[in-house]
Amino acid sequence: WLVSAKLTPTVMKKVALLSILILLNLNFVLAQDEDPQILKRDVGFNTTFIVQGILQSDQTPFSLMFKKYVAENKAIRLGIAAYFNLDNTHAFSGSASYYNTSIGSLYLTIGKEYQKPIDKRWTWYFGGDSVPFFSFNDQDLYESGNLYSESESSSVGVSLRPFLGIRFNLNPRLYLSAEANVGLTYAYTKNMVQYVDTAEPFVDRVSNNFSFTTNPASGLFLYYRF
């Protein structure tokens, strides 16, 4: 029985091969545990709308940003910002006239970001975005409870925005950032007014506008990395 229990050369080769595979696998697992996890994506939102909501302000849009890292300290940015204020009634003091308004805007962001770490906590970054957008502003004017006129205004265009920002790492997965930008914007705008006693509406103005704006770092974004 003792003789039959001895390992043959073939069995010894199999045990040796299995041992090597186990050691290689264990080494890989340990190496994975020791190395910091590589995070390739960030998703964040503008926290300003929370503060503005507490203060009962309706002027701050909700903004969401997604970043995909294509190299170390280099990311593609995709974002969306939206603001809607529907059927808000504004009455004139001491008058029977009032407006019903519907206001909205939608902005999309496509851009690239480059990051320069300062230390473990602070990083500054820069880049540029292309921002196509659409906005509208509709108003119905009532006199003594009766519809007097309807007006519609809409704009569609695109903005090119170089930006510069700073971020603070709360921990390896969470960070806060704020950025300033300048924008060169083209917008096609159309305005229309129709009175209830007029058969045909008429267009007040159709225009093509270019503008240059500067925006300070007023928004504070909170990001999660994964």
Side-chain angles (χ1 to χ4, degrees), residues 167-184:
R167 96 182 202 191
F168 177 75
N169 298 317
L170 300 172
N171 58 45
R173 287 189 178 269
L174 290 175
Y175 67 87
L176 293 169
S177 72
E179 65 186 46
N181 64 69
V182 296
L184 177 62

Side-chain angles (χ1 to χ4, degrees), residues 178-192:
E179 65 186 46
N181 64 69
V182 296
L184 177 62
T185 302
Y186 163 76
Y188 172 81
T189 303
K190 183 177 180 180
N191 295 286
M192 184 275 290

Side-chain angles (χ1 to χ4, degrees), residues 169-226:
N169 298 317
L170 300 172
N171 58 45
R173 287 189 178 269
L174 290 175
Y175 67 87
L176 293 169
S177 72
E179 65 186 46
N181 64 69
V182 296
L184 177 62
T185 302
Y186 163 76
Y188 172 81
T189 303
K190 183 177 180 180
N191 295 286
M192 184 275 290
V193 177
Q194 179 179 0
Y195 295 94
V196 294
D197 57 354
T198 302
E200 296 294 332
F202 63 91
V203 176
D204 279 345
R205 183 179 61 181
V206 174
S207 61
N208 296 278
N209 302 307
F210 289 91
S211 61
F212 180 79
T213 58
T214 59
N215 301 301
S218 56
L220 186 65
F221 272 76
L222 175 64
Y223 281 92
Y224 174 76
R225 309 197 68 195
F226 63 99

Side-chain angles (χ1 to χ4, degrees), residues 157-168:
V158 63
S159 179
L160 301 179
R161 297 192 313 200
F163 60 84
L164 176 66
I166 187 76
R167 96 182 202 191
F168 177 75

Side-chain angles (χ1 to χ4, degrees), residues 48-82:
T48 307
F49 86 98
I50 299 177
V51 178
Q52 296 287 3
I54 294 174
L55 298 178
Q56 298 181 345
S57 171
D58 58 0
Q59 300 301 315
T60 303
F62 173 76
S63 301
L64 185 70
M65 183 71 73
F66 173 80
K67 300 179 185 180
K68 167 68 175 179
Y69 287 83
V70 295
E72 186 177 6
N73 299 321
K74 180 180 177 181
I76 300 297
R77 294 157 51 108
L78 300 174
I80 185 171

